[in-house]
Structures are given as C-alpha cells and as structure tokens.
Amino acid sequence: MGLIKTAIIGAAVYGVIKYVTKKDSSGKSIVDDLKDNAPKWVDEAKRIKDDFIAERRIYDEPI
C-alpha cells in the first residue's frame, strides 16, 4: 500500500511541476508570472501592514 501511495503522490507532484512550468502562447509560464509579480505583492503587503499598524496606534492612544 505504501508503494502505491508514494507512486500516486510522485505522479501528482510531477504533473503539477509540469503544469506550472509549461509555457503558454506568450512564452511565459505560471512560475515566470509569479516571479514577475512577487515584488509588487511584497510591496503591497508591506503597505497594508503599515496601514494596519498606523490605524491600530490611533485606537491605542489614551484619550
């Protein structure tokens, strides 16, 4: 049972890797898109974090 389970998991992982690295008609893969967009997402996450902290400070200030 363990051998069959390992083979199925291995085939699934192979399929996922093959899918995310497959080039589309524009010559880019899902991995390429993720690498291109990651810096924008990090900057946006930092901005959201800073906004949250600034908003939280307003409510923590004594009246």
Side-chain angles (χ1 to χ4, degrees):
M1 185 66 178
L3 180 63
I4 294 171
K5 182 179 174 182
T6 303
I8 291 172
I9 291 172
V13 169
Y14 174 77
V16 167
I17 291 172
K18 191 87 165 150
Y19 178 75
V20 297
T21 58
K22 180 180 166 187
K23 305 287 183 183
D24 60 3
S25 60
S26 66
K28 294 183 78 173
S29 67
I30 294 174
V31 174
D32 295 334
D33 289 338
L34 288 173
K35 286 196 289 189
D36 291 343
N37 291 328
K40 289 186 271 186
W41 294 337
V42 169
D43 291 339
E44 186 175 342
K46 287 179 183 177
R47 183 188 55 78
I48 291 171
K49 179 195 74 154
D50 293 339
D51 290 347
F52 177 77
I53 290 172
E55 183 177 317
R56 185 69 187 153
R57 284 187 186 137
I58 291 171
Y59 294 117
D60 287 343
E61 292 178 356
I63 298 176

